[in-house]
Amino acid sequence: MAIGSTISDVLPLGSRLNELGRLEVGGCDTIELAREFGTPAYIVAEDDLRARARAFRQAGADAGRPDLQVLFASKAFPCTAVMALFAEEGLHCDVASAGELHLALAAGFEPERIVMHGNAKSVAELQMALRERVGLIVIDNFDEIERLRRLIEAGYGPLDAPGPGATLGQRPPEAPAGAAARPQEVLLRVTPDVRGQTHEKISTGQANSKFGFSVADVPEAVRRIERVQGLSLQGIHVHIGSQLTELAPFERAVAEVARLAPTIGECAIWDLGGGLGVRYLEAQPAPPPIEDYVRALLDAVRDPAQAGAGRLPLSEDGSAGGGATGAPPRRLMIEPGRSLTANGCVTLYTVESVKRNVSTWVAVDGGMSDNLRPMLYGARYEAHIADRPGGETECVLAGKHCESGDVIVAQALLDDPREGDIVLTPATGAYGYAMANNYNGVLRAPVVFCRDGDARLVVRRDTLDDLTARDVR
Ligand code: LLP
């Protein structure tokens, strides 16, 4: 990051250096925030999240599909306040467990705006999805079709009475005479064997993936779903991976969906998943902007043959439609997570100690309990001292956890770091809070929303009592 008034592009929109030379996020001085809320803390610039949500919706409208449904993939930042913000912005919501479904309902998403995912949905989770009447369940495998059939026959979901939500595992109420049976709409998750360049742990489009039906199994899956009274197959879902920074794999995935669509009856809905990458380091090339990504997807939907050009047919027996494409979908959905939240958040830490051996070790009060991404994926971040951004001293920004792998930034460039400094890492809004944990009994960090100079706590820090709250004595 350049010193002076130029601010790194990886910081939240509107970030700046104030008159005191301190970094400001959402109009709030980060040193003041550290004083008021303590560290570590996730600091979210509300306007940044809203701007990105609007950019996705506007991009759909600009590219001729104002009806594009943008779902927030809640796994990226599963916090009620973040989800409520996106509900307010008119987004829909992707959930992947009963817990995320619970959060989405608590955040105010109407059930019909919720899409339920998961490669291993439990019976209890399917019961909850049916009972809450979520808009769509995305079916991942043959066993799930069978589970849904048994649950519907047992009275869950479409055949039971409309009414207030039940809790996980609760028995369905008696259906009143004449209660209208509305089938549960479902999508089929397909693994199109399209790979994008990303870390193997977050690549999902390859044939040998734990997610979804292989292309060859689609016709049989369609037959089995159609035999279940109470289920209505509406279309296809694909999600080829996360942190993808090129558009071509997304376009190829759309071409594969178009090729499969004729095997799925009307195939009214195409859900094209998430995956757009973000920039974590100012030194990295910028990924495609939201507008380009949405336009590329919509162009591919309009002209799938062009999008898939040069690709070999997937299924040798031609069962996937053999290149024929049907009508365009009546409903189009996308599921961004990272690209909505990553850059809208920074994490604040306090430097606890600085020591020099072969390297200069700057140890802070958080680490792998608030950001597992460097340890899981080798993810790289920047770090800046809040009141002395920029700098020349190469340091290892280390966490406080009892293992050597707990390094947040392996090569941070800081300005003469000292004990007591406030350090921030940008772009921590996706999958940081989501994967937070209490390793070493470290208390999980709070979430603070900032807007126009006002800061409000939306998730408090864990307390020591929280650590024993689940003990059964
Ligand atoms: N839809 C589905 C079905 C997904 O599985 C995911 C992410 C998304 C949408 C959102 O993808 P995004 O737009 O955020 O790339 N913990 C990892 C990321 C795991 C992504 C899982 N699925 C990380 O920290 O990089």
Side-chain angles (χ1 to χ4, degrees):
M1 185 169 96
I3 304 179
S5 59
T6 317
I7 299 288
S8 170
D9 281 340
V10 301
L11 282 164
L13 300 179
S15 299
R16 63 172 203 119
L17 280 183
N18 66 18
E19 326 42 72
L20 301 172
R22 299 166 169 186
L23 275 163
E24 215 175 79
V25 171
C28 299
D29 180 319
T30 48
I31 301 270
E32 292 297 327
L33 290 172
R35 220 169 265 153
E36 185 175 351
F37 298 101
T39 58
Y42 301 102
I43 307 295
V44 174
E46 234 181 297
D47 286 344
D48 181 290
L49 302 194
R50 290 187 191 276
R52 290 179 210 271
R54 288 173 198 174
F56 270 105
R57 296 193 67 196
Q58 189 60 43
D62 291 347
R65 289 288 307 230
D67 59 327
L68 174 73
Q69 291 183 346
V70 181
L71 283 74
F72 171 46
S74 60
K75 70 204 80 184
F77 205 150
C79 146
T80 327
V82 170
M83 294 164 79
L85 179 153
F86 287 132
E88 264 174 42
E89 290 296 330
L91 302 198
H92 296 226
C93 190
D94 145 353
V95 301
S97 68
E100 287 182 359
L101 174 53
H102 177 73
L103 289 171
L105 294 168
F109 283 101
E110 296 90 3
E112 62 270 20
R113 296 167 85 85
I114 298 174
V115 174
M116 178 81 173
H117 283 287
N119 68 309
K121 300 179 194 79
S122 68
V123 168
E125 286 174 321
L126 289 171
Q127 283 171 357
M128 185 174 174
L130 289 167
R131 290 299 316 270
E132 297 294 347
R133 297 171 180 279
V134 298
L136 289 163
I137 297 176
V138 181
I139 299 183
D140 179 272
N141 54 69
F142 287 115
D143 289 318
E144 193 179 332
I145 302 174
E146 198 42 36
R147 280 190 165 181
L148 281 166
R149 186 187 61 72
R150 286 199 299 266
L151 287 172
I152 289 170
E153 283 175 9
Y156 288 92
L159 305 176
D160 69 26
T167 51
L168 204 57
Q170 191 174 314
R171 294 294 308 165
E174 286 302 309
R182 179 175 59 81
Q184 172 64 56
E185 300 196 332
V186 297
L187 300 181
L188 204 64
R189 177 162 182 171
V190 180
T191 309
D193 198 15
V194 172
R195 266 168 213 264
Q197 253 204 339
T198 188
H199 195 282
E200 64 169 316
K201 287 183 184 153
I202 53 177
S203 178
T204 48
Q206 68 277 15
N208 190 22
S209 164
K210 76 170 190 175
F211 298 101
F213 289 91
S214 61
V215 169
D217 282 337
V218 169
E220 177 59 18
V222 173
R223 272 194 292 280
R224 292 201 202 173
I225 293 171
E226 283 172 351
R227 284 204 294 264
V228 182
Q229 218 198 346
L231 291 184
S232 167
L233 179 59
Q234 292 292 307
I236 304 188
H237 171 272
V238 289
H239 171 74
I240 57 172
S242 195
Q243 184 57 13
L244 301 174
T245 53
E246 286 172 354
L247 296 178
F250 292 115
E251 294 166 337
R252 284 204 300 278
V254 174
E256 298 311 324
V257 170
R259 200 204 301 253
L260 275 166
T263 55
I264 306 201
E266 194 196 352
C267 204
I269 302 178
W270 295 6
D271 181 340
L272 303 175
L276 177 62
V278 303
R279 177 143 70 149
Y280 285 97
L281 306 173
E282 184 157 49
Q284 283 168 340
I290 288 170
E291 295 71 23
D292 293 9
Y293 163 74
V294 171
R295 195 176 320 108
L297 287 182
L298 295 181
D299 284 349
V301 167
R302 254 178 237 114
D303 190 359
Q306 190 60 32
R311 185 168 162 74
L312 295 171
L314 269 180
S315 60
E316 285 168 15
D317 65 356
S319 60
T325 60
R330 263 195 292 113
R331 247 166 89 190
L332 254 186
M333 310 170 95
I334 53 174
E335 302 171 335
R338 188 189 311 269
S339 52
L340 278 168
T341 59
N343 293 98
C345 176
V346 304
T347 305
L348 296 183
Y349 299 103
T350 300
V351 175
E352 304 286 23
S353 66
V354 178
K355 86 173 97 172
R356 292 180 181 83
N357 47 26
V358 179
S359 306
T360 299
W361 295 86
V362 178
V364 297
D365 52 356
M368 62 196 294
S369 52
D370 57 79
N371 187 358
L372 261 181
R373 301 196 66 261
M375 303 81 200
L376 281 180
Y377 320 112
R380 292 170 63 208
Y381 288 84
E382 291 177 359
H384 304 284
I385 298 176
D387 55 1
R388 299 191 308 282
E392 305 284 307
T393 314
E394 189 175 316
C395 317
V396 184
L397 189 74
K400 70 182 273 94
H401 300 273
C402 298
E403 53 180 283
S404 299
D406 180 30
V407 164
I408 307 166
V409 184
Q411 288 174 302
L413 287 175
L414 300 176
D415 178 13
D416 184 23
R418 300 186 280 265
E419 177 268 328
D421 278 339
I422 302 300
V423 168
L424 65 85
T425 51
T428 53
Y431 305 107
Y433 174 86
M435 300 193 291
N437 58 79
N438 292 118
Y439 183 32
N440 290 139
V442 170
L443 305 180
R444 282 171 307 171
V447 181
V448 178
F449 270 25
C450 295
R451 183 179 209 181
D452 294 338
D454 289 329
R456 68 189 167 104
L457 188 67
V458 297
V459 179
R460 65 162 173 79
R461 187 182 309 285
D462 277 338
T463 62
L464 290 174
D465 285 342
D466 287 331
L467 296 180
T468 48
R470 291 184 302 138
D471 292 356
V472 179
R473 285 178 230 263

